[in-house]
Structure formats: structure tokens, C-alpha cells
Amino acid sequence: MRSAPARHPGSSSRVALLRAIARLGFRRWYERRLIEAHAWLAACFLSMVIVAAGVELLRLRGSAAELILDASLVAAGALLAWFAWRRYATGMYLAAMLGEQAVCPGCERFGFRCDPLQPPDGRALAVHCARCGRHWQVGDGVDADG
Ligand SMILES: [Zn+2]
């Protein structure tokens, strides 16, 4: 029987997150995460426009079918807005948490390079500073699920 994966530490989403950082490099991953999060924020805003349009349509007198269609538009817009907001918040949370850990403890340079040898448990990412060469770990304690 297969058990559910543990959420902390070394959960599959955290391992996938740390692998993505190792594959792309931290700065590229960070940039993509911020762009993606802000795209979700734009989607949330557009969804709220859909909700507002649906509410305006609900005010108009029409048939029962039109009322159901307008109410469905409002519900779908609200659902999409909630989903987009959660994606935005999760993306910004991850970027902020890993951004705080990305500052070199030796020279305070932002960013790191991944070490070729990584811890086998996947709990954290072994990294080093490109400027001073100091080694540290990032990702431990970050909830990749938001
Ligand atoms: Zn450094």
C-alpha cells in the first residue's frame, strides 16, 4: 500500500522546486517566478472585471436563462479570481522566502550557484557564492505548496 507523501520536509513539490532552481539557476528561476506571479495577478484583475460585468448584467431584467447565464459568469469569474490570487500569493511567497535565503552570509551578494554535489534527501539545496565562494544551503523550511 502506498502512503501519501509527507508535506515536510523533502516533499515532492519541494524537491521539484529545488530541482527547478538547480536546472535554471537561481536568478533565472527567481525572475521567472516573479513574472509568472505577476501574470497571475493580472489574471486576477481581469477576473474581477468579469465579475463586475456579470454583476452589471444581473441588474438587467431578462429571462430566467439569462439570469442563470449571468450568475454563472459571476461565479466563474469569482472562482478564477480566487485561483489566480492563490497562484500569485504562492509565487510571491516562494520568491520572498528563497530570496531571503539567497543572500550570501559572507559578502551579502544576492544570488548563488548550485553545488555539483547535492544532499541526497532533497530537503535543501547546497549552494555557493559566485563572488566569495562561501557555501550554505537554501530551501530548508520553505513550504513549496504555499
Ligand atoms: Zn559571498
Side-chain angles (χ1 to χ4, degrees):
M1 182 173 171
R2 191 173 172 197
S3 63
R7 226 180 136 167
H8 304 281
S11 67
S12 61
S13 57
R14 179 200 301 241
V15 170
L17 169 72
L18 296 179
R19 282 185 182 155
I21 294 172
R23 182 173 38 86
L24 294 171
F26 174 71
R27 287 184 182 228
R28 183 171 289 169
W29 173 87
Y30 189 74
E31 179 184 272
R32 285 185 183 185
R33 182 63 68 160
L34 292 179
I35 290 170
E36 182 182 312
H38 284 86
W40 281 112
L41 181 63
C44 180
F45 177 76
L46 292 175
S47 300
M48 295 309 295
V49 170
I50 290 171
V51 169
V55 168
E56 284 298 316
L57 289 173
L58 279 174
R59 289 182 177 181
L60 301 174
R61 303 276 186 235
S63 67
E66 289 175 339
L67 181 68
I68 290 171
L69 181 67
D70 297 341
S72 299
L73 183 67
V74 170
L79 190 65
L80 182 60
W82 172 250
F83 178 76
W85 177 256
R86 291 290 305 151
R87 292 295 304 255
Y88 167 73
T90 301
M92 293 303 289
Y93 164 79
L94 285 175
M97 290 295 291
L98 287 168
E100 288 176 5
Q101 296 179 13
V103 177
C104 172
C107 67
E108 298 186 356
R109 179 183 183 271
F110 183 76
F112 54 78
R113 293 196 177 141
C114 297
D115 290 349
L117 294 176
Q118 293 296 320
D121 59 1
R123 293 176 57 157
L125 199 59
V127 299
H128 65 275
C129 177
R131 183 189 293 160
C132 71
R134 185 166 178 164
H135 291 264
W136 77 99
Q137 291 190 343
V138 299
D140 201 16
V142 173
D143 181 7
D145 299 320

